[in-house]
Amino acid sequence: MSYTRKDIIEMLSFTKEDDLGRLRDEALSLMGKEVGNLVYYRGIIEFSNICRCDCRYCGIRKSNSKLSERYTLERNEIVDTALWCADQGYGSIVLQSGERVDPAFISFVESVVAEIKERSRSEKLPKGLGITLGIGEQSRETYRRLYEAGAHRYLLRIETTDPALYRRLHPKNQTLENRIECLGDLKEVGFQVGTGVMIGIPGQTLDMLARDIEFFRDRDIDMIGMGPYITHPHGDMASEGMMEKEALLQLSLNMIAATRLVLRDVNIAATTALQALVPDGRERGLGYGANVTMPNLTPIKVRKGYQLYEGKPCLDESGTACGSCLLNRIRSVGRDVGFNLWGDSPHVNKRKVLIGNRG
Ligand code: 5AD
Ligand code: FES
């Protein structure tokens, strides 16, 4: 079934329980058919909060001088955490950080990726951990180096596809055009590409969000990570406020379901920001068609330094506590976790077959 813009807007605006019940049923049934019912873990390591960008919404933006400590984890801390993750049976990790483009940083990330790839190979994971990177806008050459080092997925949120809203959220030197170009470069280099938006940004409309979903579809995106926009007291937009929590949660859940229905066979994350709104936010996201979640593995000592928005959960939990807590949460909603698997979305494989046929 294909959905028009009007259909998508209608889904996003649902608030009545009978509409929502139908939306959930349709999204879950399609999810079961297209990607299965398993939930895949991506252990996330936020390895540095040093950032050259100044996105107005973000707590770790360059000009937030109130952020007391800027950190970068040591190489062995990152590698050990990744290996712990492999040992626990999480098939994939995400290495995420603020944006830096200097050669020392890129070489550092390249060699960390290569070491993790090499050392995480085992009987359980013959191809090693699946490695996803989220380190912002880089040159095509850098993307190529990181891909060759062993990363095979990349997350770069578009944040919003509305040009005027994008301009309002970012300084002049950070452009929507460049971000779109980066998404193209990533795909060309061979990465599975993930993107997403923030939901409920001041000034954002349902029409814009519907266009965002069409953008994901038209760009042939493989993975989606999106979550509610939540103010940060030291962000530059705190005075503009945010949506009321209940309505924001519902809109975010409706976005997940609508994205599932329109894109069908991609991986969709139930993001941590949902849990910042309500304690069972991530499980609710799974109930609207998400099939990926990201246990936080960032070492406790630096975790407070990576607060992009207010009320981020799990700041005191160790990796073990977070993983087992999540497992119980996932099982409580009748789902199970796909351990020791990369969990690539079927979308990627279909795309590969197409490319193969073409060649
Ligand atoms: N609220 C919600 N999400 C945010 N991000 C950054 N700041 C906020 C905020 N205040 C998200 C952005 C970015 C991702 C790493 O975190 O979408 O891409
Ligand atoms: Fe992190 Fe529960 S999900 S402690």
Side-chain angles (χ1 to χ4, degrees):
M1 152 149 198
S2 72
Y3 293 88
T4 62
R5 171 123 10 112
K6 193 161 152 273
D7 297 332
I8 302 176
I9 293 176
E10 192 187 349
M11 288 191 262
L12 297 183
S13 62
F14 285 159
T15 54
K16 291 205 203 77
E17 188 41 46
D18 54 336
D19 288 331
L20 295 172
R22 254 186 305 117
L23 183 63
R24 277 197 302 270
D25 287 348
E26 280 171 24
L28 280 183
S29 131
L30 186 74
M31 179 196 75
K33 261 190 255 154
E34 297 278 349
V35 299
N37 291 311
L38 286 178
V39 176
Y40 298 102
Y41 277 171
R42 314 288 186 227
I44 181 162
I45 309 171
E46 297 147 332
F47 68 93
S48 174
N49 66 354
I50 300 177
C51 192
R52 69 171 186 147
C53 294
D54 234 340
C55 311
R56 291 181 59 227
Y57 43 85
C58 184
I60 66 164
R61 71 203 169 95
K62 176 175 69 178
S63 36
N64 177 13
S65 54
K66 297 209 176 74
L67 184 59
S68 51
E69 200 197 343
R70 295 279 174 173
Y71 70 86
T72 302
L73 294 179
E74 302 284 339
R75 163 192 202 88
N76 66 325
E77 290 175 307
I78 308 174
V79 174
D80 290 351
T81 309
L83 296 179
W84 177 88
C85 199
D87 217 41
Q88 299 291 307
Y90 303 1
S92 294
I93 55 164
V94 179
L95 299 177
Q96 184 173 284
S97 71
E99 186 173 301
R100 273 175 63 185
V101 295
D102 52 288
F105 179 74
I106 302 305
S107 300
F108 175 70
V109 178
E110 184 182 30
S111 74
V112 167
V113 166
E115 183 172 346
I116 292 174
K117 197 75 200 171
E118 186 51 42
R119 291 181 56 195
S120 62
R121 284 181 216 275
S122 69
E123 230 164 82
K124 284 190 300 186
L125 275 177
K127 288 174 13 183
L129 280 167
I131 304 178
T132 308
L133 287 175
I135 60 167
E137 294 178 14
Q138 304 286 344
S139 67
R140 188 182 309 186
E141 190 40 44
T142 296
Y143 287 147
R144 187 165 293 127
R145 276 172 62 190
L146 297 170
Y147 184 77
E148 274 160 17
H152 82 292
R153 305 187 184 115
Y154 202 102
L155 301 176
L156 183 66
R157 286 192 182 176
I158 196 78
E159 315 295 0
T160 173
T161 59
D162 184 78
L165 184 58
Y166 195 97
R167 275 197 297 277
R168 222 161 50 65
L169 299 177
H170 300 100
K172 277 207 175 60
N173 62 339
Q174 294 178 233
T175 65
L176 180 60
E177 290 71 30
N178 197 52
R179 198 152 280 210
I180 293 175
E181 203 174 307
C182 285
L183 289 173
D185 288 345
L186 285 164
K187 182 145 280 184
E188 212 178 289
V189 163
F191 278 104
Q192 295 174 24
V193 180
T195 192
V197 294
M198 289 183 296
I199 300 158
I201 308 166
Q204 192 180 41
T205 63
L206 295 188
D207 184 70
M208 291 178 195
L209 287 169
R211 286 170 197 264
D212 292 339
I213 294 178
E214 291 172 351
F215 174 89
F216 305 153
R217 181 197 59 203
D218 298 343
R219 294 264 153 182
D220 204 17
I221 291 297
D222 304 305
M223 321 175 287
I224 303 290
M226 47 190 181
Y229 164 72
I230 301 171
T231 49
H232 188 285
H234 306 140
D236 187 34
M237 288 174 55
S239 65
E240 293 171 47
M242 63 183 267
M243 275 177 73
E244 181 275 318
K245 273 192 185 178
E246 266 305 311
L248 177 55
L249 176 66
Q250 194 58 59
L251 179 58
S252 306
L253 297 171
N254 293 1
M255 270 296 278
I256 291 179
T259 303
R260 168 63 66 207
L261 290 172
V262 176
L263 274 74
R264 305 178 68 94
D265 56 1
V266 298
N267 280 343
I268 303 179
T271 55
T272 317
L274 288 170
Q275 199 181 333
L277 292 179
V278 285
D280 66 345
R282 284 201 258 194
E283 298 87 288
R284 304 268 287 269
L286 297 176
Y288 276 74
N291 69 327
V292 163
T293 199
M294 302 174 165
N296 191 336
L297 301 177
T298 308
I300 303 288
K301 62 169 188 183
V302 295
R303 227 181 253 196
K304 290 196 168 69
Y306 208 90
Q307 284 192 76
L308 307 177
Y309 47 82
E310 204 163 21
K312 192 168 170 199
C314 313
L315 291 180
D316 298 317
E317 256 78 26
S318 68
T320 325
C322 215
S324 56
C325 167
L326 260 183
L327 185 59
N328 292 332
R329 288 165 177 274
I330 290 165
R331 291 190 170 152
S332 78
V333 290
R335 301 274 285 275
D336 217 333
V337 174
F339 285 111
N340 293 311
L341 296 167
W342 278 7
D344 288 332
S345 75
H347 187 80
V348 173
N349 298 324
K350 286 182 205 155
R351 189 153 57 79
K352 283 208 177 114
V353 172
L354 274 178
I355 294 169
N357 287 347
R358 241 182 269 146

